[in-house]
Amino acid sequence: MAAASVGLSMVLISLAKLLLVLCGLATVLFARHTMTTNQPLSGQKTPVVVLLALFAFALSLFWSVAPQAEALGALAKYGKLMVIILMLLLVRNRREALYALGAFVGAQAFLLMGSWLLFAHLPVPWATSDMATTHYAVFSSYLDQGIMGAVFAAVCWHLRFLFPGRFGPQAAIFLALMALLNVFFVLSGRSGHVVAIALLSITIMWELPRKHRALAVLLPFVLAVALFFSSAQVRERLVLAQTEVQAYSQGQSNTSSGIRLNFWHRAIQIMMERPLAGAGIGSWSGEYNRLQRAQNPAHVDINSNGNPHQEYLLWGVQLGLPGVLLLLMLMLAVLADTRVMTPHFARATQSTLLALATACFFNASLYDAQIGDFFCVLLGLLLAAGCHHPEKQAKAAPRSELAA
């Protein structure tokens, strides 16, 4: 249910997370023998860094400048990182991992179908997004759906040989192709375009012979140019970004890019004021309002528990430079855990990680709801699937078990 819920309505995501937490607590309390036997978290680096990050955020409550309610609310938002550990804890074998991945693929295919139906101006009664009729997003924003579509395409491609049936691999390739076309030619989210270009580039690199992989450095630029001339959505959004950046340089900051650039500028200022420990969990909105009021007394405060639309800077604002390093450590831990996986699981996980690392440059992709839940559930599921692969389990099994 957790694997199927991501990308769908927030109600389903919240309910699935609640059930996941309850199952995790039940496992810890009542399945000690099973946990001792299987050792699901043994050797995994990611859970250690997740717990370290959550401890650091909780510790920053002692010096946070944010009101207690805002600080606790921000801490609760980062609580979704525990989903990664829960997936590793609850998925007991490869069969369960494949069932969960099947649920994920089925739900994402349903989401993709809904977007195409909206694009064709056909009725989609289950679409609840405010952007359904204008930007063809079904449940979330076109920004989130574009990123999720790009990741879904990469997962389908790398795990295509696991799709059941005679034509399973062909069906996976079809889904990947339809997802990419949806991202580039239907959805207008620039973050989704950038993530899709990054994932497409690294996928092509992996398919090239090793002696030609150095050419992959040029792939993102080649793909960007090709899409600029072939996709009206990509071209319009790139031209708009250029126009908005030029307007910001002339003092106009009321555009999408202008707001982001202003947020990033203020976030760097806050980090420079408190480089070692940050302003504490949940402090972004209050600190931003403080700096804006100092420049403009008529400034209208932004809502509490906001973010600077950049995950790296958000961690830096709250925890200082150590926070940025902690986020990088989390990503490196996931990367390290993929090195013991078989190639198809490793590449699917690394592609998801690359998508997260790229999206975090333009959005708070772990802090935000829906897209943050998407990444946490999928990363946890892929890490669990790679951890329980038969070849890996066979290598780790005692000699007596192999003999039996």
Side-chain angles (χ1 to χ4, degrees):
M1 183 176 178
S5 69
V6 289
L8 304 182
S9 70
M10 200 62 221
V11 174
L12 288 175
I13 294 174
S14 300
L15 180 59
K17 281 195 296 185
L18 174 61
L19 293 175
L20 200 65
V21 170
L22 293 176
C23 289
L25 289 174
T27 301
V28 172
L29 295 174
F30 304 115
R32 295 175 184 174
H33 175 71
T34 303
M35 290 176 60
T36 304
T37 303
N38 293 337
Q39 296 181 338
L41 304 181
S42 176
Q44 296 282 333
K45 298 178 177 60
T46 304
V48 176
V49 184
V50 166
L51 292 175
L52 181 62
L54 292 176
F55 174 76
F57 280 126
L59 189 64
S60 72
L61 287 169
F62 290 103
W63 65 81
S64 177
V65 299
Q68 187 178 32
E70 293 182 20
L72 291 175
L75 183 60
K77 281 178 170 285
Y78 279 119
K80 66 172 72 75
L81 288 169
M82 281 297 298
V83 170
I84 299 175
I85 299 178
L86 290 172
M87 283 291 182
L88 287 165
L89 186 68
L90 294 173
V91 175
R92 297 171 297 180
N93 51 55
R94 184 174 184 260
R95 182 169 173 265
E96 291 185 354
L98 292 181
Y99 275 132
L101 282 169
F104 169 82
V105 169
Q108 293 300 311
F110 175 74
L111 182 66
L112 177 63
M113 178 188 70
S115 182
W116 277 110
L117 289 175
L118 289 170
F119 180 67
H121 302 291
L122 295 174
V124 182
W126 57 87
T128 58
S129 173
D130 296 335
M131 304 178 178
T133 56
T134 55
H135 294 91
Y136 317 117
V138 183
F139 294 106
S140 58
S141 67
Y142 63 82
L143 186 153
D144 287 354
Q145 188 160 335
I147 296 171
M148 291 187 291
V151 176
F152 175 56
V155 170
C156 286
W157 173 261
H158 294 303
L159 301 183
R160 61 191 183 278
F161 299 115
L162 296 177
F163 276 60
R166 180 180 177 184
F167 299 104
Q170 290 83 351
I173 293 172
F174 173 76
L175 286 175
L177 179 60
M178 293 303 294
L180 282 178
L181 290 175
N182 186 260
V183 172
F184 287 131
F185 296 96
V186 175
L187 300 173
S188 56
R190 286 170 289 197
S191 300
H193 297 158
V194 174
V195 169
I197 289 172
L199 295 184
L200 196 54
S201 299
I202 197 171
T203 298
I204 295 173
M205 182 200 74
W206 279 326
E207 298 298 327
L208 290 173
R210 288 187 178 273
K211 62 180 179 180
H212 298 311
R213 286 187 178 178
L215 298 174
V217 176
L218 302 175
L219 280 174
F221 304 100
V222 174
L223 290 172
V225 171
L227 288 166
F228 181 84
F229 290 104
S230 62
S231 170
Q233 293 282 22
V234 174
R235 181 169 58 254
E236 290 173 5
R237 298 298 285 175
L238 285 176
V239 171
L240 180 61
Q242 181 185 13
T243 304
E244 290 175 347
V245 171
Q246 289 176 344
Y248 177 78
S249 66
Q250 297 171 2
Q252 301 177 21
S253 59
N254 58 346
T255 63
S256 176
S257 299
I259 291 171
R260 271 182 168 80
L261 290 170
N262 186 48
F263 280 172
W264 297 352
H265 172 66
R266 293 303 187 197
I268 292 172
Q269 283 185 299
I270 298 167
M271 289 175 60
M272 291 176 65
E273 290 179 357
R274 298 178 175 89
L276 297 181
I281 185 76
S283 59
W284 156 252
S285 295
E287 290 297 278
Y288 172 79
N289 289 329
R290 175 179 64 83
L291 292 176
Q292 286 293 104
R293 280 195 300 270
Q295 181 177 341
N296 177 21
H299 164 71
V300 178
D301 289 353
I302 62 172
N303 294 330
S304 61
N305 279 331
N307 65 80
H309 293 280
Q310 226 258 31
E311 192 74 49
Y312 302 99
L313 291 178
L314 180 58
W315 286 50
V317 166
Q318 298 175 115
L319 299 175
L321 292 177
V324 180
L325 295 177
L326 192 56
L327 179 55
L328 295 175
M329 280 177 58
L330 177 59
M331 295 179 179
L332 289 174
V334 175
L335 181 62
D337 286 339
T338 65
R339 293 182 178 177
V340 297
M341 298 180 181
T342 52
H344 52 282
F345 274 120
R347 289 178 178 180
T349 311
Q350 290 164 6
S351 295
T352 305
L353 179 62
L354 175 61
L356 174 63
T358 304
C360 283
F361 279 109
F362 309 103
N363 308 283
S365 296
L366 283 176
Y367 182 77
D368 283 342
Q370 289 188 308
I371 189 64
D373 295 299
F374 173 86
F375 276 118
C376 288
V377 167
L378 183 56
L379 282 174
L381 184 55
L382 290 171
L383 287 171
C387 171
H388 288 295
H389 194 277
E391 294 179 14
K392 183 176 182 294
Q393 290 178 338
K395 291 179 182 179
R399 291 179 179 271
S400 59
E401 292 183 14
L402 294 175

